[in-house]
Amino acid sequence: ARGKRPAPLGIQAHGACGSGGERGGGRRGLAGRKSFGEIAGRALRDVADELFRARGLWFVYPGGPEALKGLDLSLHEGTGMALLGENGAGKSTLLRCLLGLLSPSRGRVALFGEEPSRERLPALAGRLGYCPQNPCAYFVSATVRGELMRTMHLRGFVGREAEEAVDEQLERMEVGHLARKNPLDLSTGEREKVLLASVLLPPMPELLVMDEPTRGLDHRHKRAVAELLRGHRDSGGTAF
């Protein structure tokens, strides 16, 4: 209906993530109460493995709607979290605030314990992989193979080791025949495959931030991406 606002974001989480609080509820007897030391120790562990935190996060587009309103969210190592929502619900806005590509209107955001910024992202290439909603915003190289090589170089891999990893990934993601093409000249589905091939190059970084990563892919390739993400999480990685 005209004027209808998108439904609020939904969150599906796997593992220990969220904004904290005791699970299970109910009253505890004296024997079941935690000591201050136990509580403090757990809090320190939670902070130590916290990759992303948002507290009281608001974002308002100039002259536009309130995309995010008072959001509290934490993401911990070895977990997976999915954001669900209609177009315009604020999913991409949240991810861009997480990375420092947008500055919050109010509230605080921390990425790997520090305030995120656009300038800080290149230094995080070894720890962070980002799959934007628009692949064209990611590509800077003249060829598909060059794009994957750039990713390997940003992650600190050069020479034959990088070349072999790229060749294997091109075949794994079934884009080897596109290696010499300009990624901007590809179809929507092909660009999405190349973007995923680049972001998911092994060894994958500890945190993957992905905005609609399977858009334009057929069912077989969607399952292949899901298996890669599951393996990443099982090996201690984190996906958002």
Side-chain angles (χ1 to χ4, degrees), residues 22 31-46:
E22 290 290 341
R33 292 181 180 173
K34 294 182 180 293
S35 69
F36 174 79
E38 290 174 311
I39 295 172
R42 175 178 173 179
L44 288 172
R45 288 193 299 273
D46 286 348

Side-chain angles (χ1 to χ4, degrees), residues 54-59 68-72 94 97 104 106-107 109:
R55 290 295 179 267
L57 177 60
W58 287 69
F59 187 86
L68 302 172
K69 298 192 290 184
L71 181 68
D72 291 331
L94 173 59
C97 286
R106 282 160 42 194
V109 179

Side-chain angles (χ1 to χ4, degrees), residues 25-134:
R27 297 182 60 184
R28 294 177 177 268
L30 289 174
R33 292 181 180 173
K34 294 182 180 293
S35 69
F36 174 79
E38 290 174 311
I39 295 172
R42 175 178 173 179
L44 288 172
R45 288 193 299 273
D46 286 348
V47 171
D49 71 3
E50 190 175 62
L51 302 185
F52 166 62
R53 168 186 287 238
R55 290 295 179 267
L57 177 60
W58 287 69
F59 187 86
V60 183
Y61 286 97
E66 298 169 326
L68 302 172
K69 298 192 290 184
L71 181 68
D72 291 331
L73 185 67
S74 295
L75 184 67
H76 294 265
E77 288 181 7
T79 64
M81 182 181 293
L83 299 178
L84 309 178
E86 301 174 2
N87 289 340
K91 303 183 298 297
S92 296
T93 301
L94 173 59
L95 297 184
R96 290 172 65 81
C97 286
L98 182 162
L99 297 169
L101 299 174
L102 290 175
S103 298
S105 303
R106 282 160 42 194
R108 299 180 64 85
V109 179
L111 176 65
F112 297 118
E114 298 181 25
E115 183 178 355
S117 68
R118 187 183 297 269
E119 294 73 24
R120 188 173 165 234
L121 287 178
L124 294 176
R127 304 184 67 188
L128 170 69
Y130 175 45
C131 178
Q133 189 178 52
N134 178 13

Side-chain angles (χ1 to χ4, degrees), residues 2 4 10 16 57 68 93 108-109 116 129 141 146 150 155 171 173 181 192 218 239:
R2 182 175 296 180
K4 179 182 176 183
L57 177 60
L68 302 172
T93 301
R108 299 180 64 85
V109 179
S141 300
R150 179 178 73 95
R155 294 181 184 174
E171 295 307 313
M173 299 297 290
K181 291 183 177 290
E192 201 67 48
D218 59 27

Side-chain angles (χ1 to χ4, degrees), residues 105-207:
S105 303
R106 282 160 42 194
R108 299 180 64 85
V109 179
L111 176 65
F112 297 118
E114 298 181 25
E115 183 178 355
S117 68
R118 187 183 297 269
E119 294 73 24
R120 188 173 165 234
L121 287 178
L124 294 176
R127 304 184 67 188
L128 170 69
Y130 175 45
C131 178
Q133 189 178 52
N134 178 13
C136 294
Y138 180 93
F139 300 138
V140 297
S141 300
T143 66
V144 167
R145 193 172 193 281
E147 196 62 54
L148 272 66
M149 286 298 296
R150 179 178 73 95
T151 298
M152 291 300 290
H153 293 163
L154 286 171
R155 294 181 184 174
F157 295 91
V158 295
R160 187 165 185 81
E161 182 180 17
E163 292 176 0
E164 290 178 351
V166 165
D167 290 339
E168 290 174 4
Q169 184 77 331
L170 288 170
E171 295 307 313
R172 184 183 298 114
M173 299 297 290
E174 300 180 5
V175 291
H177 62 293
L178 304 174
R180 296 183 180 276
K181 291 183 177 290
N182 189 313
L184 299 180
D185 294 335
L186 306 179
S187 69
T188 299
E190 288 172 338
R191 285 198 296 265
E192 201 67 48
K193 285 184 186 178
V194 171
L195 174 60
L196 287 167
S198 181
V199 173
L200 300 178
L201 268 164
M204 283 190 273
E206 59 189 285
L207 174 60

